């Protein structure tokens, strides 16, 4: 086993502490966390500091680029940290390793700039630039979860970009929380809120043995608002949802407008219950419209992982379920440190089928 070191930036320190605890339990003791920080000067400039040696260690650097709760002082004023700030701090820590680590793996649950994954006009291709930059800094591989576009792996043909699916954890959470789910084509359907989510939906629907539906976004291609063509309507393609439990799957909830419109349409079409699986719950426009939609019966539960910062208010919502991922990250690190294959972790089809069989077998 390679000597393991975990550097969890402040943005993801809670998960880092939990992963360290789990690894210590599995391995019969040991502390794998390496203290590190990114102090700032009054001008806003910063540096990365590692407080113990990383020489010849298998280093895992963890960062949550979506943690909007952290601040720093610049010129006497308090600034909230943006994804750009978190990414720069991560690079500072990589640089502080001074090329002495045996291997550096970056664990970045939300892929930085993953939403800017393609060029359609004269514009930047930020996600690809980021990945090439990490490659040039000596990063061996990047582990992310449910990338907005998994084809970003093509940017690093000779390095690793591991795109991990949390489908197993969502399945376990749903089937543990609800004991009356009927897993058959007459009572259950998986729904993609747009064409980009179809792959995620097909994967789970195939394992559950049920049908899928899909909404496609009808856009106004004569205008550009905030860098994109505005959505006119969500049109549904698929069979009847009347009387069925519908599970809507997407990689993220940002403002949530599109997701709530999809849920509303499903209920209007006669869906029995509407559940939402979303890897990242950003809720960038607050919770008011979710509270209102839940009160109006538009959806029954929203499941998101704890891979990004969760506002304390969110954790108190009756309609919200937080899916813990620390044990899965610990398994990723343990597997990589032992030179094992990540195939079962990246696409956990066998474990999902086993979970469904156990659910059917319950009295």
């Amino acid at each position: 086993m390679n000597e393991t070191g975990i550097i969890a930036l402040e943005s993801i320190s809670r998960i880092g502490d939990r992963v360290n605890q789990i690894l210590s339990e599995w391995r019969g003791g040991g502390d794998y966390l390496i203290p590190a920080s990114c102090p700032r000067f009054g001008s806003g400039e910063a540096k990365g500091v590692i407080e113990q040696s990383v020489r010849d260690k298998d280093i895992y650097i963890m960062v949550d680029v979506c943690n909007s709760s952290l601040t720093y002082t610049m010129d006497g004023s308090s600034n909230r940290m943006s994804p750009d700030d978190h990414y720069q701090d991560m690079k500072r820590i990589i640089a502080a390793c001074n090329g002495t680590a045996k291997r550096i793996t970056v664990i970045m649950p939300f892929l930085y700039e993953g939403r800017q994954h393609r060029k359609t006009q004269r514009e930047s291709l930020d996600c690809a630039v980021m990945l090439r930059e990490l490659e040039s800094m000596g990063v061996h591989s990047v582990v992310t979860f449910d990338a907005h576009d998994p084809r970003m792996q093509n940017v690093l043909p000779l390095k690793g970009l591991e795109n991990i699916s949390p489908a197993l954890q969502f399945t376990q959470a749903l089937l543990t929380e609800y004991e009356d789910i009927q897993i058959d084509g007459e009572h259950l359907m998986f729904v993609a809120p747009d064409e980009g989510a179809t792959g995620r939906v097909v994967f789970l629907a195939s394992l559950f043995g049920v049908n899928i539906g899909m909404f496609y976004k009808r856009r106004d291609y004569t205008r550009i608002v905030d860098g994109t063509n505005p959505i006119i309507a969500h049109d549904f393609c698929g069979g009847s949802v009347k009387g069925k439990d519908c599970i809507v799957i997407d990689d993220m909830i940002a403002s949530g407008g599109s997701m709530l419109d999809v849920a509303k349409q499903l209920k209007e079409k006669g869906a029995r219950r509407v559940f939402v699986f979303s890897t990242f719950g950003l809720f960038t426009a607050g919770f008011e419209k979710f509270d209102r939609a839940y009160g109006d019966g538009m959806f029954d539960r929203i499941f998101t992982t704890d891979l990004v910062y969760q506002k304390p208010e969110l954790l108190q919502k009756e309609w919200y379920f937080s899916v813990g991922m620390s044990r899965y990250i610990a398994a990723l690190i343990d597997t990589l440190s032992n030179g094992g294959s990540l195939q079962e972790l990246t696409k956990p089809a066998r474990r999902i089928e086993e979970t469904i069989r156990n659910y059917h077998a319950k009295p």
Side-chain angles (χ1 to χ4, degrees), residues 316-363:
Q316 305 302 317
K317 297 297 183 183
E318 182 181 6
W319 45 262
Y320 179 69
F321 190 99
S322 177
V323 179
M325 296 296 293
S326 297
R327 185 169 292 273
Y328 216 47
I329 293 176
L332 289 166
I333 292 175
D334 195 50
T335 301
L336 288 170
S337 295
N338 286 288
S341 169
L342 293 183
Q343 183 172 349
E344 286 259 329
L345 296 170
T346 54
K347 289 289 186 181
R350 184 184 60 80
R351 293 282 306 280
I352 292 172
E353 289 180 331
E354 180 182 320
T355 301
I356 295 170
R357 283 197 300 272
N358 292 338
Y359 184 79
H360 280 307
K362 286 195 306 185

Side-chain angles (χ1 to χ4, degrees), residues 1-5 27 32 52-60 102-103 337:
M1 181 190 301
N2 293 325
E3 189 174 356
T4 304
R27 295 178 175 183
Y32 302 97
Q52 68 185 57
S53 174
V54 299
R55 186 175 297 278
D56 294 329
K57 290 185 177 180
D58 198 4
I59 298 296
Y60 298 85
K102 182 175 183 179
R103 182 172 64 179
S337 295

Side-chain angles (χ1 to χ4, degrees), residues 281-303:
L282 305 181
F283 299 99
T284 56
F287 307 113
E288 183 179 350
K289 57 187 173 185
F290 288 91
D291 292 337
R292 188 164 56 249
Y294 178 69
D296 292 340
M298 293 297 101
F299 68 90
D300 291 80
R301 207 71 176 274
I302 293 178
F303 297 77

Side-chain angles (χ1 to χ4, degrees), residues 110-246:
F110 187 98
L111 190 63
Y112 173 71
E113 292 291 358
R115 298 172 77 177
Q116 184 51 25
H117 59 99
R118 61 184 178 187
K119 293 176 69 170
T120 58
Q121 53 188 332
R122 288 187 295 275
E123 58 186 353
S124 58
L125 189 55
D126 295 51
C127 190
V129 170
M130 177 272 296
L131 292 172
R132 293 299 299 271
E133 191 171 22
L134 293 185
E135 180 183 39
S136 70
M137 294 185 75
V139 171
H140 180 268
S141 61
V142 177
V143 175
T144 193
F145 286 79
D146 206 359
H148 192 65
D149 188 340
R151 289 173 296 184
M152 292 311 300
Q153 295 173 88
N154 298 334
V155 175
L156 300 176
L158 301 180
K159 297 287 184 181
L161 174 59
E162 302 293 348
N163 185 33
I164 310 299
S165 169
L168 171 63
Q169 285 70 30
F170 281 129
T171 299
Q172 292 172 334
L174 177 73
L175 299 184
T176 300
E177 191 72 2
Y178 293 89
E179 298 183 349
D180 61 342
I181 302 291
Q182 293 181 261
I183 305 176
D184 60 60
E186 296 299 316
H187 299 92
L188 185 65
M189 176 184 284
F190 284 89
V191 178
D194 56 41
E195 57 274 22
T198 306
R200 302 177 183 91
V201 168
V202 169
F203 175 67
L204 267 179
S206 298
L207 296 173
F208 275 71
V210 301
N211 293 326
I212 73 165
M214 187 194 82
F215 285 85
Y216 72 91
K217 295 176 179 177
R218 194 146 42 90
R219 296 180 180 271
D220 180 358
Y221 287 100
T222 66
R223 297 185 298 135
I224 295 179
V225 178
D226 294 331
T228 188
N229 302 104
I231 299 169
I232 301 171
H234 293 90
D235 294 332
F236 183 68
C237 300
S240 172
V241 303
K242 189 173 179 61
K244 296 179 181 178
D245 288 332
C246 292

